């Protein structure tokens, strides 16, 4: 196959043209966009570096010709974890207003329009850079996950215009042109054989033979992965909580950890999925890699003459010293072969086919004019990378390139469903252990082209037998629930699996109330209260819990029903339920909010309570927000403007919190 590549030497001769692309990413989407922007600047002969924000000191920004920021917004308008150290440095009070006057920048934000603080992180970053004197070379761009064409609906036109502006602001010498899309950019890292086979790794295809490992099971292997910051958790329960006849399989998972784990309501557990052997075998066969699938391999830098300190990490960083890496294990554990391909994927694989018709069709998908067509081919039918390669059979990706073509298989985040007493270790744990519970909806559906689809992580979770050890990561969530808030009234709206963080919060509030009661009684000792009873009681409104739960059917997907009934009988919890399919007229949680307007107004307005909204993004959060505005209008006799202002003020005070996915 004839592949024209451009190596680092193509751009390194223009030392005065440097681009730094910084990303802040929680789930990987912003990182993907940053990598695409890096390719744009490389083709314009900028010596380009793409890294996460936390790896850079703001003092170094003016050293680059241009800095491109790509940042997603998490939770309540927060910046992702891999930006917060950088952001903290930018917020230093002693910084002068001309601190970044030599820096030229552009910002692109990724957000979800269903959140009140849409693209808040990008806007905060943009404002701070201007405050410090930085020069904006191109207006801020913002992508909305709710856009009909997804992120590309905003990113593609923004990046096209950015490219044009960069060419105008940083003109190339007369004899030099931008690197053509027909030229394949040399990646910073390639795969090569490790050990005795290394000498043959420079060829684009290998004649090395190795008997393919027979797959004895159709489930992914149980190897523990070398994940940075992970802990080992053992699965002690994986129970389906919906009837087998119900359209959705929802699992209640309990994991045990032998050491203490600190987590709070709203925190999340990241599980790292694995691809199934069937799909891995299909790709190995399709690409003709079966004969080398089980030979040890390693990541090799394509340019060993550069500064090691500034050289970017490989596509899967923590595998640099991993001794068990093979092509099969890479595809099984670390590359997302069933993900929906981005535009850059088609641009890359077009270089790896000699079929003219296939090449032309693949390049059409990369043309900004056909962004709608790309969406209809990929996102709308949820067509996977593996399926694209099965349709374009002439494509032969060199195995050395696969980690640069197929995106990394990233962990999936799930809201923790346990708190308070539910954190205590299970019977099989040691006394010092911890328990973590999850409520997971297994993703299975048919697309518009009638093809059956499954979520890569939830499919993996559903297959796990009890006793499986997993490398998981506990991460701080975005609800940011302070201990002081646990004594305030709480209005919790959690339809479907959105009830998971609400359950954690309810049990945590019970634990806090018990602790407060104990401390209060201890402080007063045996002093008699006015009515002559021993001890004392807390104010009646303290810690009041109100849950609004919605699902389709009372008998099918009313999660934790017995638990709520018991707590309700004990007077610890008020529960209002909306079963949308159990009667002719559909009822949703926002309808219940309107019905209970007097109670909600009392708790939120008069007692300064907190409202939590968790669950599926889309129409639900906005519908609940609208219902709350109507509550304040009706019960408080407010004009709409005042009701909206009150809700906005609740957000500022941290009394309106939303976590949707």
């Amino acid at each position: 196959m004839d592949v024209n590549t451009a190596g680092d030497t193509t751009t390194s001769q223009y030392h005065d043209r440097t681009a730094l692309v910084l990303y802040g990413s929680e789930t990987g989407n912003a990182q993907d966009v940053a990598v695409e922007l890096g390719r744009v600047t490389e083709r314009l002969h900028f010596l380009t570096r793409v890294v996460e924000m936390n790896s850079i000191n703001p003092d170094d920004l003016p050293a680059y010709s241009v800095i491109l920021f790509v940042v997603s917004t998490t939770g309540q308008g927060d910046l992702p974890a891999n930006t917060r150290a950088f952001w903290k440095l930018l917020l230093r009070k002693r910084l002068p207003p001309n601190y970044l006057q030599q820096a030229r920048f552009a910002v692109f934000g990724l957000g979800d329009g269903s959140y009140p603080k849409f693209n808040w992180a990008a806007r905060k970053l943009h404002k701070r850079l201007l405050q410090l004197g930085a020069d904006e070379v191109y207006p801020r761009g913002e992508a909305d996950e709710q856009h009909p064409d997804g992120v590309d609906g905003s990113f593609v036109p923004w990046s096209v215009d950015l490219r044009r502006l960069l060419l105008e602001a940083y003109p190339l010498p007369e004899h030099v042109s931008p690197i053509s899309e027909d030229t394949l950019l040399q990646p910073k890292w390639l795969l090569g054989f490790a050990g005795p086979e290394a000498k043959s790794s420079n060829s684009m295809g290998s004649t090395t033979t190795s008997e393919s490992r027979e797959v004895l099971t159709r489930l992914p292997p149980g190897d523990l992965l070398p994940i940075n910051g992970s802990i080992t958790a053992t699965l002690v329960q994986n129970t389906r909580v919906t009837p087998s006849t119900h359209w959705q399989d929802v699992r209640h998972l309990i994991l045990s950890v032998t050491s203490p784990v600190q987590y709070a309501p709203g925190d999340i557990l990241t599980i790292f999925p694995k691809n199934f052997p069937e799909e891995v075998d299909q790709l190995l066969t399709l690409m003709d890699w079966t004969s080398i699938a089980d030979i040890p391999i390693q990541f090799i830098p394509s340019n060993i003459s550069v500064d090691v300190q500034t050289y970017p990490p490989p596509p899967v960083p923590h595998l640099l010293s991993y001794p068990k890496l093979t092509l099969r294990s890479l595809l099984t554990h670390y590359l997302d072969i069933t993900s929906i391909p981005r535009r850059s994927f088609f641009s890359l694989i077009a270089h790896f086919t000699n079929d003219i018709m296939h090449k032309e069709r693949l390049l059409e998908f990369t043309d900004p004019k056909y962004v709608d067509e790309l969406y209809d081919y990929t996102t709308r039918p949820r067509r996977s990378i593996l399926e694209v390669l099965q349709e374009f059979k002439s494509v032969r990706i060199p195995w050395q390139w696969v980690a640069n073509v197929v995106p990394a298989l990233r962990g999936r985040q799930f809201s923790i469903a346990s708190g308070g007493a539910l954190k205590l270790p299970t019977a099989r744990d040691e006394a010092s252990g911890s328990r973590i519970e999850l409520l997971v909806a297994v993703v299975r559906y048919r697309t518009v082209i009638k093809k059956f689809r499954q979520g890569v992580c939830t499919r993996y979770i559903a297959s796990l037998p009890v006793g499986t050890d997993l490398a998981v990561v506990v991460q701080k969530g975005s609800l940011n629930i302070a201990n002081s808030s646990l004594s305030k009234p709480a209005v919790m709206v959690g339809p479907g699996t959105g009830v998971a963080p609400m359950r954690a919060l309810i049990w945590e509030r019970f634990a806090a109330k018990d602790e407060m009661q104990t401390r209060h009684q201890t402080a007063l000792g045996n002093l008699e209260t006015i009515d002559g009873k021993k001890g004392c009681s807390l104010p009646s409104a303290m810690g009041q819990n109100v849950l609004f739960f919605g699902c389709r059917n009372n008998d099918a997907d009313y999660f934790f029903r017995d638990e709520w009934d018991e707590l309700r009988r004990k007077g610890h919890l008020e529960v209002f339920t909306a079963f949308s399919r159990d009667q002719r007229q559909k009822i949703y949680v926002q309808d219940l909010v309107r019905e209970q307007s007097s109670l909600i107004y009392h708790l939120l307005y008069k007692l300064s309570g907190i409202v939590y909204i968790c669950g599926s993004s889309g129409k639900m959060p906005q519908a609940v927000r609208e219902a709350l505005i109507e509550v304040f209008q009706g019960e408080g006799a407010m004009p709409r403007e005042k009701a909206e202002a009150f809700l906005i003020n609740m957000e500022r005070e941290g009394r309106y919190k939303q976590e949707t996915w």
Side-chain angles (χ1 to χ4, degrees):
M1 175 183 318
D2 236 1
V3 179
N4 183 21
T5 61
D8 285 343
T9 54
T10 308
T11 57
S12 61
Q13 58 185 302
Y14 304 102
H15 295 291
D16 57 335
R17 296 171 64 84
T18 55
L20 177 64
V21 186
L22 295 176
Y23 61 85
S25 188
E26 198 74 42
T27 61
N29 290 332
Q31 183 178 353
D32 291 341
V33 169
V35 170
E36 288 194 41
L37 282 180
R39 295 191 184 107
V40 170
T41 55
E42 277 194 66
R43 292 190 182 279
L44 299 181
H45 295 283
F46 284 90
L47 194 61
T48 299
R49 187 180 178 196
V50 182
V51 291
E52 65 178 36
M53 286 189 209
N54 279 353
S55 65
I56 292 292
N57 189 314
D59 293 349
D60 299 329
L61 295 182
Y64 294 86
S65 304
V66 64
I67 308 105
L68 305 179
F69 294 89
V70 185
V71 60
S72 62
T73 297
T74 67
Q76 318 306 309
D78 303 319
L79 280 84
N82 63 351
T83 69
R84 291 170 192 163
F86 175 86
W87 179 240
K88 186 177 180 180
L89 291 174
L90 275 188
L91 292 179
R92 288 172 292 176
K93 292 183 180 180
R94 62 180 176 81
L95 295 180
N98 62 349
Y99 173 62
L100 294 179
Q101 66 177 0
Q102 301 299 321
R104 307 189 71 191
F105 77 97
V107 174
F108 189 80
L110 282 76
D112 186 330
S114 68
Y115 276 78
K117 294 185 176 180
F118 170 66
N119 260 312
W120 213 254
R123 296 174 188 182
K124 287 192 293 188
L125 175 63
H126 177 260
K127 181 179 180 180
R128 184 56 177 161
L129 292 170
L130 292 176
Q131 288 175 344
L132 294 174
D135 178 23
E136 184 177 27
V137 299
Y138 188 68
R140 183 182 72 245
E142 294 183 349
D144 185 355
E145 290 181 12
Q146 304 296 327
H147 190 286
D149 294 333
V151 170
D152 279 349
S154 304
F155 172 67
V156 170
W158 185 85
S159 63
V160 169
D161 285 346
L162 174 69
R163 179 187 182 279
R164 175 185 51 77
L165 182 137
L166 289 176
L167 266 179
E168 294 173 359
Y170 304 90
L172 289 164
E174 290 185 9
H175 65 285
V176 178
S177 299
I179 300 173
S180 167
E181 293 289 339
D182 294 334
T183 301
L184 184 60
L185 295 174
Q186 181 77 4
K188 300 296 187 293
W189 295 84
L190 291 168
L191 289 167
F193 290 123
E197 293 84 2
K199 61 183 179 182
S200 63
S201 65
N202 292 327
S203 61
M204 298 298 273
S206 174
T207 57
T208 305
T209 60
S210 174
E211 188 171 338
S212 179
R213 178 176 63 91
E214 182 181 359
V215 180
L216 300 178
T217 175
R218 303 320 295 168
L219 298 178
D223 316 41
L224 275 177
L225 306 182
I227 305 297
N228 291 336
S230 66
I231 57 175
T232 300
T234 302
L235 184 65
V236 298
Q237 177 180 307
N238 187 354
T239 304
R240 176 168 179 159
V241 293
T242 51
S244 58
T245 54
H246 189 58
W247 69 279
Q248 189 172 46
D249 178 359
V250 179
R251 300 298 178 104
H252 180 199
L253 276 67
I254 300 179
L255 299 119
S256 71
V257 183
T258 56
S259 57
V261 179
Q262 299 296 322
Y263 63 88
D267 286 358
I268 53 182
L269 187 78
T270 300
I271 295 179
F272 298 86
K274 300 178 183 181
N275 292 310
F276 278 64
E278 180 182 359
E279 284 83 5
V280 172
D281 288 347
Q282 287 176 15
L283 185 56
L284 289 171
T285 301
L286 190 64
M287 293 293 108
D288 197 23
W289 294 338
T290 304
S291 63
I292 58 170
D294 301 297
I295 298 176
I297 58 174
Q298 62 185 349
F299 281 102
I300 300 172
S302 56
N303 187 345
I304 59 175
S305 61
V306 297
D307 182 2
V308 177
Q309 298 297 322
T310 61
Y311 201 70
V316 191
H318 54 273
L319 294 184
L320 267 181
S321 58
Y322 186 50
K324 301 178 182 179
L325 190 63
T326 64
L327 201 52
R328 190 187 303 277
S329 66
L330 183 69
L331 296 175
T332 299
H333 303 300
Y334 304 109
L335 298 183
D336 203 348
I337 63 177
T338 60
S339 63
I340 299 171
R342 291 184 58 83
R343 193 168 61 110
S344 57
F345 172 79
F346 293 94
S347 176
L348 285 169
I349 66 172
H351 292 283
F352 302 129
T353 176
N354 290 324
D355 186 303
I356 301 301
M357 292 184 63
H358 279 184
K359 189 180 190 73
E360 289 178 352
R361 180 60 173 156
L362 291 169
L363 290 176
E364 279 183 11
F365 288 131
T366 71
D367 193 324
K369 293 184 297 185
Y370 301 121
V371 64
D372 292 345
E373 193 169 334
L374 174 63
Y375 179 85
D376 288 340
Y377 179 72
T378 56
T379 306
R380 191 163 178 263
R382 317 299 292 179
R383 187 175 269 109
S384 71
I385 283 176
L386 178 59
E387 288 173 322
V388 170
L389 293 174
Q390 288 170 336
E391 291 188 15
F392 291 88
K393 295 183 182 296
S394 66
V395 172
R396 288 292 179 270
I397 302 170
W399 66 269
Q400 293 91 338
W401 283 69
V402 64
N404 297 289
V405 177
V406 180
L409 185 57
R410 298 185 174 100
R412 269 50 170 186
Q413 299 176 336
F414 299 95
S415 289
I416 295 175
S418 48
L422 299 183
K423 293 180 179 178
L424 299 177
T426 60
R428 58 181 292 174
D429 288 330
E430 298 178 6
S432 61
S434 302
R435 174 171 52 169
I436 302 173
E437 299 190 26
L438 303 176
L439 185 67
V440 177
V442 178
V443 179
R444 293 194 184 107
Y445 59 96
R446 290 193 182 277
T447 69
V448 293
I449 57 174
K450 307 302 180 186
K451 285 212 171 185
F452 185 64
R453 297 282 187 256
Q454 298 184 77
V456 62
C457 191
T458 57
R459 177 192 180 195
Y460 170 64
I461 288 173
S463 74
L464 293 175
V466 168
T468 301
D469 286 337
L470 298 170
V472 298
V473 175
V474 176
Q475 295 175 272
K476 187 170 180 57
S478 58
L479 291 181
N480 298 323
I481 298 171
N483 289 335
S484 59
S485 70
L486 296 175
S487 62
K488 294 182 178 181
V491 174
M492 296 165 277
V493 183
T497 56
V499 79
M502 301 296 90
R503 181 176 183 249
L505 177 58
I506 288 168
W507 282 97
E508 198 75 11
R509 288 169 64 84
F510 291 161
K513 186 173 183 178
D514 289 344
E515 184 178 349
M516 290 172 65
Q517 186 78 51
T518 301
R519 288 180 180 177
H520 202 56
Q521 290 175 338
T522 301
L524 294 180
N526 293 322
L527 291 178
E528 291 188 357
T529 57
I530 294 175
D531 60 4
K533 294 180 181 180
K534 293 282 186 179
C536 69
S537 61
L538 297 175
S540 59
M542 181 169 285
Q544 188 170 349
N545 302 292
V546 178
L547 173 66
F548 290 88
F549 175 77
C551 61
R552 291 198 173 196
N553 308 105
N554 184 9
D555 295 332
D557 49 355
Y558 185 4
F559 307 128
F560 307 115
R561 174 175 52 191
D562 294 342
E563 192 172 301
W564 305 143
D565 288 345
E566 178 66 19
L567 294 174
R568 185 159 43 185
R569 281 193 295 270
K570 292 180 178 179
H572 298 325
L573 177 69
E574 288 186 77
V575 183
F576 300 98
T577 53
F579 306 115
S580 63
R581 302 299 196 274
D582 279 354
Q583 61 284 314
R584 183 182 297 273
Q585 183 177 355
K586 294 179 181 178
I587 300 175
Y588 299 104
V589 285
Q590 58 265 30
D591 301 316
L592 299 180
V593 169
R594 293 185 178 93
E595 288 178 8
Q596 301 299 323
S597 59
S598 177
L599 173 63
I600 290 177
Y601 183 77
H602 177 71
L603 296 177
L604 297 184
Y605 189 84
K606 294 187 176 181
L607 298 180
S608 299
I610 306 172
V611 63
Y612 301 91
I613 302 170
C614 296
S616 176
S617 63
K619 296 180 180 179
M620 184 275 293
Q622 187 58 41
V624 172
R625 186 182 179 88
E626 180 63 28
L628 288 171
I629 291 174
E630 293 178 18
V631 166
F632 298 137
Q633 281 183 271
E635 297 294 329
M638 303 178 188
R640 182 176 178 88
E641 293 77 13
K642 186 176 179 181
E644 289 177 343
F646 179 76
L647 198 60
I648 291 172
N649 191 56
M650 284 183 63
E651 292 174 9
R652 291 197 188 104
E653 294 175 347
R655 297 197 298 116
Y656 181 100
K657 294 177 179 288
Q658 178 179 317
E659 179 61 55
T660 56
W661 48 85

